Structure formats: C-alpha cells, structure tokens
Amino acid sequence: MTERISYLTKHLKVHPKDFSTRRGLVALVNKRRRLLNYLAREDEERYASLVSSLGIRHKAPSKVDNKAEKYGRFPPQKAVKKHLQ
C-alpha cells in the first residue's frame, strides 16, 4: 500500500490536474491511516516497528478515557429550557 501511495504521489507531481488519481490517493492514505490507528490500539509494539520500517510519519490517536476528560476543557452548554426537558 505504501509503495502504491508513493507511486501515485510521484505521478501527481508530473500530472497535477489528474483529479481521479488524487481521489484514489486520498482514499489509500485514509485507509492506511485507519489501519495504523487500529494497530496502534491493539499492539503498540508492532505499530511502532511497522511505522519505523515503512519510514512514514504517523501520529497515533491519543487515548481518552471518558467524556469528562475529553470535553472538560470546554465551557458547559447553555441550560436547557424547562419545557424542552
């Protein structure tokens, strides 16, 4: 997959107006990102070795335990009106 991504990247440098190829490239990159995110969640050791062997930059998604931790830095929403409860 990474070889195909690099091939399409080189192709797009030569043919910058080839939008169908660009769309396929974006789809491949997103698919690789989703697979790497899954691997990072399941087995961090294999993830780290794979990213280093492929020679790509990928930032694993951060771990969030609960909703309060995720959204705690934002101010609370406005109060819900009584007739809507």
Side-chain angles (χ1 to χ4, degrees), residues 8-71:
L8 291 176
T9 303
K10 290 175 191 170
H11 172 82
L12 282 171
K13 286 181 181 175
V14 177
H15 306 281
K17 294 185 178 183
D18 189 355
F19 294 108
S20 58
T21 301
R22 183 177 309 276
R23 184 172 178 231
L25 174 65
V26 169
L28 274 176
V29 170
N30 286 335
K31 187 175 202 173
R32 181 177 69 181
R33 178 183 48 81
R34 287 192 310 268
L35 289 169
L36 286 172
N37 286 347
Y38 169 77
L39 188 60
R41 279 194 316 267
E42 296 298 316
D43 190 357
E44 289 186 30
E45 240 178 70
R46 279 180 52 199
Y47 162 77
S49 67
L50 181 66
V51 169
S52 63
S53 69
L54 290 176
I56 60 175
R57 297 179 316 234
H58 183 265
K59 183 182 172 205
S62 61
K63 296 182 180 183
V64 177
D65 291 333
N66 57 20
K67 192 174 180 179
E69 187 178 319
K70 184 174 183 178
Y71 298 110

